[in-house]
Amino acid sequence: MNLNDLPTPTLILDRQRVRANTDEMRARIHGHGVALRPHAKTAKSVDVARMAAGDKGNALAVSTLREADYFLSQGFTDLVCAVLLEKDKLDVAATLADRGAELKIITDNPAVAGAISSHAGAHRVLIEIDCGEHRTGVAADSPDLTELAAAVERSGRSRILGVLTHAGHSYATRTPDAVAAVAEAERVAAVTAGHKLRDAGFETPIISVGSTPTATHGVTFDGVTEVRPGVYVFQDMFQAGIGSCSTDALALSVLASVIASHRDRGTVMLDAGGLALSKDRSTAGSKFDAGFGQIADLSGQPFPGLRVNGVHQEHGEVLVEDPELFATLAVGTKVRIFPNHACMTAAAYEVYNVVDGGVEVVDQWMRCNGW
Amino acid sequence: MNLNDLPTPTLILDRQRVRANTDEMRARIHGHGVALRPHAKTAKSVDVARMAAGDKGNALAVSTLREADYFLSQGFTDLVCAVLLEKDKLDVAATLADRGAELKIITDNPAVAGAISSHAGAHRVLIEIDCGEHRTGVAADSPDLTELAAAVERSGRSRILGVLTHAGHSYATRTPDAVAAVAEAERVAAVTAGHKLRDAGFETPIISVGSTPTATHGVTFDGVTEVRPGVYVFQDMFQAGIGSCSTDALALSVLASVIASHRDRGTVMLDAGGLALSKDRSTAGSKFDAGFGQIADLSGQPFPGLRVNGVHQEHGEVLVEDPELFATLAVGTKVRIFPNHACMTAAAYEVYNVVDGGVEVVDQWMRCNGW
């Protein structure tokens, strides 16, 4: 089957590019002498996870317990849930552990730390550290750190295994040097917090950091035990814009058809709108603004400057000035759209149509969506 | 089961409010002596469609052929697909007709009109009219109108049944009078185009208009045969903002848990982020800006001015200044979030947890997602 045969809108994944992205990141992180724990939240696919983890890889990060359940059922047992859980989910976490998952959960507050300790399950716990994003986590120099660790271990069932941090503020950077500075802050926060816990008598086999930009541009990972980038498996227009990759690395696209063309209005309409692309506008206001997605031809070759300018639920509006381009985008033409944010866009689909650098569909891979 | 027992994030639907919204709209449109064709793209649920269509109702609008397939399998046979199709989908449309659907498809361009005529199936076709939004459709006074109709009927198999238009630009209005003016432009465009087709010898039993704002504030529907509002079944913060409803009408919300609370940063973090709420920011820059959603307590009572200020994939960040409110939103607390745009938010879920004005879960209703 060829891309031209697929009903639109649908999701296209270039396996060749996923392989290049995942091989490159694994080589880079292993080159630093550190373990890679790919964050599976972007692809939510066992096929992608296997490529990212490598032949003997068994370690993943996940963003939901549904993902943990799914990847465990596919044989991945070394899992970190990198989003704070509320205490009602401890039962599910314990069930996953009973099924063989070495599941690590995280906490940054006394209420959940206390609930973990009181819970019947024996949980493996990391303390979440704030390394400057100020989203979640406690500061590395906060007295809360050791208090939380003590609260987790109070009943003697659950135990602390280290710390985890995420430099989400790396997304606000625009140069490799700026990313490297954030990466160093991320590393220092995690390592400092780890030392504090060790000094207070806790074991810290896991010092976990990571985001795609900091994993890409970090200079040293001394003292860190694992790195957890996520979106690098697919990359996207935002990551290309901030310098995490070139546009040649973009593995994910949405296949769409031209369903209307109005020369007098200077518009072409695609059958991929807000639901098919997501309403992510993370590139808005930047020099690399891609609207709601960069448009490319069927082979994945971008039309320079051509983007989805507006979306309705099922319509993507494209402003086209050049008459020749207008003729190229006749009604019925199929195009590919590289999204701003791969994690958001992929979530609207259950299946990846896999290509291998070309336009032949060589496989279909499933996703694990929802909560 | 009670809302407090549900794992978060999850989708909550207040059946009592859906009933009030759907009864009110049906009474209003029927009061004008016109048929209501609810647009099923918002709820994508047969349970909601039955409430919207009423006891003997059999007519729906859909935005995808997957919806058409789903609603046909649930007994709805009078269907309008209100989004332009590309010609490769004509086979599917014909299959639906073979299964008993009186499916009406739309066109606004010669390529598809010609393909419809050449296709082996006997299609029922409406010409899409542009009534001022300039998204899709031909102008009511365009010579294209009768040419398209003639092209559709050329082979003698498919036939024209009338016209369809959608005043999406009603979303840019901010007063009932302004909406009423757009509604009148919508009506006049559809009726004018219908007359032109009739004068040219085509049958036009269907003169179809509709959007939630124009269906709500339109003064007259003379000459129109049916109205197709969609989001009114749930309403949302955007519709409340532009005056389509009060916030008491909001039937859809996302149930979320407080997973972190940092008094020093003035932030509370919810486990509903960009995937759970969507990144729709249609209220941005307006007086009724609701961030990524208005926060309410478990019973649905809004906290005035409290909104989701920022989202990450699985985190919703809330800025809280008031110390009392901060204490109310302790870690583990469950809240409800009324979204900006119900169609976008609901699409992330497969199931509605149904309440009936209270906090008891009385039913679960399925959605039909994807393409």
Side-chain angles (χ1 to χ4, degrees), chain B residues 319-371:
Chain B
L319 305 179
V320 186
E321 285 177 16
D322 178 43
E324 205 169 313
L325 188 54
F326 207 92
T328 302
L329 297 170
V331 169
T333 305
K334 285 195 167 74
V335 297
R336 283 162 74 177
I337 306 165
F338 293 113
N340 283 330
H341 191 163
C343 314
M344 290 295 299
T345 300
Y349 301 87
E350 291 178 357
V351 172
Y352 298 100
N353 298 285
V354 181
V355 297
D356 208 17
V359 296
E360 286 299 313
V361 179
V362 297
D363 210 343
Q364 286 201 320
W365 294 347
M366 300 303 292
R367 280 178 54 89
C368 153
N369 287 321
W371 295 272

Side-chain angles (χ1 to χ4, degrees), chain A residues 8 89 108 137 265 279-280, chain B residues 8 89 137 262 265 279-280:
Chain A
T8 53
K89 291 188 175 157
D108 81 344
R265 301 175 200 154
K279 286 202 172 176
D280 186 279
Chain B
T8 52
K89 291 188 175 159
H262 291 273
R265 300 174 202 156
K279 287 201 172 177
D280 186 278

